[in-house]
């Protein structure tokens, strides 16, 4: 899961794949999970603040989900998304 590495902490060394560049690295998730999760949270917060600050709606759509279902949920939701 690109949003939270903490579940990988149980597996020991993991091979991680960047889905956009196909770069692969071996890492111990226990040593990077806290920092990664903090940086990811900051990044998502900045995206949310930027979108809402421009008057837009922000909805997190994980890549593991169905993009059509995410778009449908966004378009049928009433009121502002945060």
């Amino acid at each position: 899961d690109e949003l939270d590495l903490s579940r990988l902490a149980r597996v020991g060394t993991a091979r991680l794949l960047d889905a956009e560049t196909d770069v692969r690295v071996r890492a111990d998730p226990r040593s990077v999970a806290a920092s990664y999760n903090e940086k990811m949270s900051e990044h998502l917060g900045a995206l949310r603040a930027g979108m809402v600050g421009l008057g837009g709606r922000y909805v997190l759509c994980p890549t593991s989900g169905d993009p059509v279902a995410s778009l449908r949920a966004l378009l049928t939701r009433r009121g502002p998304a945060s």
Side-chain angles (χ1 to χ4, degrees), residues 4-71:
D4 183 359
L5 291 185
S6 62
R7 285 186 278 168
L8 288 177
R10 296 183 291 254
V11 301
T13 301
R15 190 172 53 171
L16 305 175
L17 169 66
D18 182 329
E20 295 175 0
T21 65
D22 208 31
V23 171
R24 300 165 197 271
V25 296
R26 291 182 78 72
D28 181 351
R30 293 169 292 201
S31 67
V32 298
S35 176
Y36 177 90
N37 291 341
E38 180 180 336
K39 297 288 185 192
M40 181 60 77
S41 179
E42 290 171 4
H43 175 66
L44 294 175
L47 292 174
R48 176 188 306 268
M51 181 58 72
V52 172
L54 292 170
R57 294 173 60 186
Y58 174 87
V59 176
L60 181 62
C61 300
T63 59
S64 59
D66 176 8
V68 173
S70 295
L71 184 57

